[in-house]
Amino acid sequence: MSQEQWTQVDRYFGERMIPPDEALDAALRASDEAGLPAINVAPNQGKLLQLIAEVRGARRILEVGTLAGYSTIWLARALPADGKLVTLEADPHHADIARSNLERAGVAHLVDVRTGPALETLPKLAAESAEPFDLVFIDADKENTAEYFQWALKLSRAGSVIIVDNVVRKGAVADLSSTDPSVQGIQRFVEVAAAEPRVSATSIQTVGGKGYDGFTMAVVTA
């Protein structure tokens, strides 16, 4: 097995199951032209997020980590006409690119892009006393993933789904001697999630066009 083969398989399924989409392609081009890192989810992963949101019947979605809004578009497309997606982005430049991409994709009216470090915006969001979120997607800096997960719990309810991306770190998550802050952050999140009695969770390894990684999915049970 090789990266070339993983990419080829992703391309095979993508060409057959994910129709060409100018809004999504334009979002990726805008991200590249603005010099943003190419760390967006793959198209098949974006479609998976949309399907999970649709299966859940999500009306309110929270995303931690917007980047250029690529995954945001996928998630927003799962919302009903009266739905809402709040997405948190630390970098104002990234947030500006995302807003343009969301406008072009025709979903800006469903999305509230908030800027600032998520550990500052999450408490403000909680203080608004709005409805809980039906789905939370966490894809931001890995060092603070455990804290983002704990806030996601506070902002959710029984039946809510929490998805945490990039938890395998090319297999490094299993290296308990790792000194990489991102790996250590994910390891701390795993310990927190495993000990949390209010969720039922599992983690899945993935390979594909974006390499070797994986995600955690948790359902809030209480």
Side-chain angles (χ1 to χ4, degrees):
M1 300 293 289
S2 65
Q3 179 61 59
E4 181 180 359
Q5 187 171 16
W6 299 340
T7 301
Q8 184 178 11
V9 171
D10 262 9
R11 186 179 302 116
Y12 169 83
F13 284 121
E15 289 174 350
R16 287 157 177 80
M17 295 184 173
I18 303 175
D21 192 305
E22 177 53 32
L24 289 168
D25 292 343
L28 293 179
R29 287 196 301 270
S31 180
D32 288 342
E33 290 167 2
L36 275 62
I39 54 176
N40 51 277
V41 300
N44 55 347
Q45 294 168 335
K47 184 61 178 288
L48 177 62
L49 289 173
Q50 180 181 338
L51 291 174
I52 292 171
E54 290 174 348
V55 169
R56 174 59 187 84
R59 290 184 58 256
R60 284 177 54 82
I61 298 174
L62 172 63
E63 179 181 51
V64 183
T66 314
L67 196 62
Y70 183 76
S71 56
T72 319
I73 294 170
W74 281 109
L75 288 166
R77 287 176 171 179
L79 289 170
D82 62 346
K84 193 68 178 178
L85 191 160
V86 178
T87 183
L88 311 180
E89 175 53 51
D91 189 312
H93 176 55
H94 294 182
D96 287 342
I97 300 299
R99 290 187 182 97
S100 296
N101 287 335
L102 294 167
E103 187 70 39
R104 185 188 300 109
V107 296
H109 63 291
L110 296 170
V111 182
D112 178 4
V113 181
R114 303 193 182 191
T115 57
L119 292 181
E120 295 179 8
T121 52
L122 284 165
K124 294 176 183 177
L125 189 59
E128 294 175 8
S129 301
E131 286 182 66
F133 291 97
D134 304 304
L135 186 147
V136 181
F137 178 48
I138 300 173
D139 188 13
D141 63 286
K142 308 311 168 186
E143 293 90 335
N144 293 309
T145 299
E147 287 76 17
Y148 299 150
F149 176 72
Q150 290 168 324
W151 276 109
L153 273 175
K154 293 176 184 178
L155 293 164
S156 299
R157 59 183 165 195
S160 295
V161 177
I162 301 173
I163 302 170
V164 181
D165 203 10
N166 306 130
V167 300
V168 173
R169 316 303 301 167
K170 298 183 179 180
V173 69
D175 179 6
L176 301 184
S177 65
S178 175
T179 59
D180 184 327
S182 293
V183 173
Q184 292 177 334
I186 293 298
Q187 290 170 337
R188 192 156 56 87
F189 153 68
V190 171
E191 295 300 321
V192 168
E196 176 54 64
R198 293 171 292 174
V199 302
S200 178
T202 190
S203 296
I204 301 295
Q205 300 180 77
T206 61
V207 295
K210 305 294 287 189
Y212 170 38
D213 212 324
F215 64 92
T216 295
M217 180 182 293
V219 175
V220 180
T221 57

